[in-house]
Amino acid sequence: MTLKDLESQLLALTPAEKEHVIQLLTHSLVSPQPEIAKPPEISDGEAYIANTQIAIWELVNAQDLGCSDRDLLQMYPQLTQSDLDTAWEYADAHPQEIMLALQAIDE
């Protein structure tokens, strides 16, 4: 995707969607630590929310089973909405990785 492609897509967003994009970008610029980690001591290359032992695939699986963001924040009080937003972005950007992890738990 080119910057020009992205620009046309951003301009097509609703005001609320644009506000969300701005919040995500701002957060990514000021975040003091990476939000996604792949710590070898607790995973085999799986992506986790940084400083937790909560795998992205676990959150995706819960969402697939019908859990809302609100439900997940209650289940995992150490997470923030920003953590979940980051998890969904990561899952969208790495669908093959998430699919393989979910298939592994079904086996």
Side-chain angles (χ1 to χ4, degrees), residues 27 35 49 73 76-86:
H27 182 74
E35 295 176 351
I49 298 294
L73 292 172
Y76 301 100
Q78 68 272 41
L79 296 182
T80 65
Q81 183 62 52
S82 178
D83 291 328
L84 292 180
D85 293 342
T86 300

Side-chain angles (χ1 to χ4, degrees), residues 36-101:
I36 301 293
K38 291 189 174 190
E41 67 275 7
I42 62 169
S43 71
D44 294 323
E46 293 178 355
Y48 285 73
I49 298 294
N51 300 316
T52 75
Q53 293 186 3
I54 303 169
I56 303 301
W57 67 262
E58 290 179 75
L59 296 171
V60 171
N61 188 51
Q63 187 182 53
D64 289 348
L65 293 172
C67 289
S68 67
D69 282 11
R70 185 181 187 140
D71 296 331
L72 290 168
L73 292 172
Q74 289 176 348
M75 292 167 53
Y76 301 100
Q78 68 272 41
L79 296 182
T80 65
Q81 183 62 52
S82 178
D83 291 328
L84 292 180
D85 293 342
T86 300
W88 307 146
E89 289 173 26
Y90 185 89
D92 287 344
H94 301 89
Q96 185 72 18
E97 177 184 328
I98 301 302
M99 183 187 68
L100 291 173

